[in-house]
Amino acid sequence: MNIQTYFPTPELSPFIQSYKVIETPADVVNNVLPGTSPIMVFRLSGQVSVNHPGGSNVLEPIVVSGLRKSGRAMQYESGTVNLLVTFREGGIAPFVREPLHELSDTSVPMHCLDGFKDAGLLEEQLAGQPSHEARITLIERFLLSRLTGKTPDGMVLAAIRKIHRAGGQLRIRELADSLHVSQDVFEKRFRRVAGLSAKQFSYVVKMKSVVEKGRTGLTLAQIALDAGYFDQPHFNKDFKLFTGLTPTEFFKSPVSW
């Protein structure tokens, strides 16, 4: 796979982390672990399917992928080109009217979202652009037209920073107290803006850290202890939920994640 990375204009940099153009010269299956940022995907050519035990589902040309709690296998046809808009954590909320937790564990065609009924026109316009840079410029104009006067949610961003600093290991009640808001109000606002509950989001942050440490050569016992697990079966269960494999299978697997 050939990946080219581009960065947003200053107006969009508070919301968007990067753009990636992924070109697939041959059929390939890419195993994707959960992340903490939603992604907007524009398929410029080819076909992308999500594999699952019952078969596979072909994705629409333009989709918004919400946050997930477990990995998935993506199958790309030869000649597929995708342009991915990777938002910052909480950064997509100003563009989407739906509460973000309603998009979790799914990829929604953009035209199904409130306020994006004209996505078909954007698809046609993208096809007529001479370069990836021109396509990104068009996408930025499209997103900026929906942004007027909106800003990221400062409270939720503060909570996300605290979750990362704690490696995903903190009590949600204590997190809400530190932000001077009731737990009920905090949970509802966090789900709407971040795309998962604070507990689920913390789990993803923790397990991403576990995977990263596992690639450094640390023992599984030490990794589990560092992640706050004192019960190996519990650690193995959470790890398999996140990756689809046991820790031993995952770190011995030749398949890339």
Side-chain angles (χ1 to χ4, degrees):
M1 301 177 79
N2 178 34
I3 301 176
Q4 303 170 60
T5 302
Y6 303 84
F7 297 99
T9 57
E11 295 89 344
L12 286 171
S13 61
F15 309 92
I16 295 172
Q17 179 178 326
S18 67
Y19 307 100
K20 292 185 185 297
V21 176
I22 303 177
E23 300 175 344
T24 311
D27 290 354
V28 66
V29 174
N30 186 31
N31 296 285
V32 182
L33 291 179
T36 52
S37 300
I39 296 177
M40 193 174 282
V41 183
F42 298 85
R43 178 163 48 81
L44 306 176
S45 63
Q47 180 173 290
V48 181
S49 303
V50 180
N51 295 341
H52 52 79
S56 63
N57 296 326
V58 177
L59 293 182
E60 293 281 340
I62 307 179
V63 299
V64 176
S65 289
L67 272 58
R68 297 176 177 274
K69 300 178 287 295
S70 58
R72 60 176 178 166
M74 308 287 293
Q75 183 170 337
Y76 299 83
E77 277 189 355
S78 173
T80 294
V81 179
N82 285 318
L83 196 164
L84 276 58
V85 182
T86 302
F87 287 83
R88 297 188 185 278
E89 295 165 330
I92 198 175
F95 300 92
V96 178
R97 295 174 184 172
E98 288 83 355
L100 265 294
H101 66 272
E102 293 183 1
L103 308 184
S104 65
D105 291 308
T106 188
S107 293
V108 180
M110 186 185 285
H111 65 80
C112 293
L113 297 175
D114 189 17
F116 286 92
K117 304 301 181 184
D118 55 348
L121 176 60
L122 177 61
E123 182 184 351
E124 294 176 10
Q125 293 172 335
L126 286 171
Q129 300 305 307
S131 66
H132 294 319
E133 289 86 351
R135 294 183 184 98
I136 290 170
T137 297
L138 182 63
I139 290 170
E140 291 205 315
R141 286 205 302 267
F142 177 79
L143 291 174
L144 282 168
S145 70
R146 284 152 172 77
L147 184 59
T148 307
K150 298 176 181 176
T151 58
D153 188 310
M155 188 197 76
V156 173
L157 295 186
I160 288 173
R161 288 193 293 270
K162 289 175 180 286
I163 289 170
H164 278 291
R165 283 199 295 268
Q169 301 180 59
L170 76 178
R171 296 181 183 278
I172 305 307
R173 179 177 294 280
E174 293 174 0
L175 177 57
D177 288 345
S178 73
L179 296 166
H180 311 291
V181 64
S182 73
Q183 184 172 349
D184 182 58
V185 169
F186 169 72
E187 285 277 17
K188 289 177 180 178
R189 193 159 151 187
F190 192 96
R191 281 199 310 272
R192 181 180 182 86
V193 173
L196 291 173
S197 71
K199 182 177 181 180
Q200 292 168 336
F201 190 96
S202 298
Y203 162 79
V204 173
V205 169
K206 179 172 69 174
M207 296 312 297
K208 283 174 66 69
S209 175
V210 163
V211 169
E212 291 168 4
K213 287 182 178 179
R215 289 173 173 151
T216 67
L218 286 175
T219 65
L220 291 177
Q222 185 60 53
I223 293 169
L225 188 61
D226 290 345
Y229 290 94
F230 301 97
D231 181 339
Q232 193 69 35
H234 185 194
F235 171 73
N236 292 343
K237 180 181 177 180
D238 276 6
F239 191 96
K240 189 167 185 177
L241 173 65
F242 188 74
T243 66
L245 300 171
T246 67
T248 301
E249 291 169 339
F250 181 87
F251 291 116
K252 287 184 177 179
S253 173
V255 178
S256 61
W257 292 80

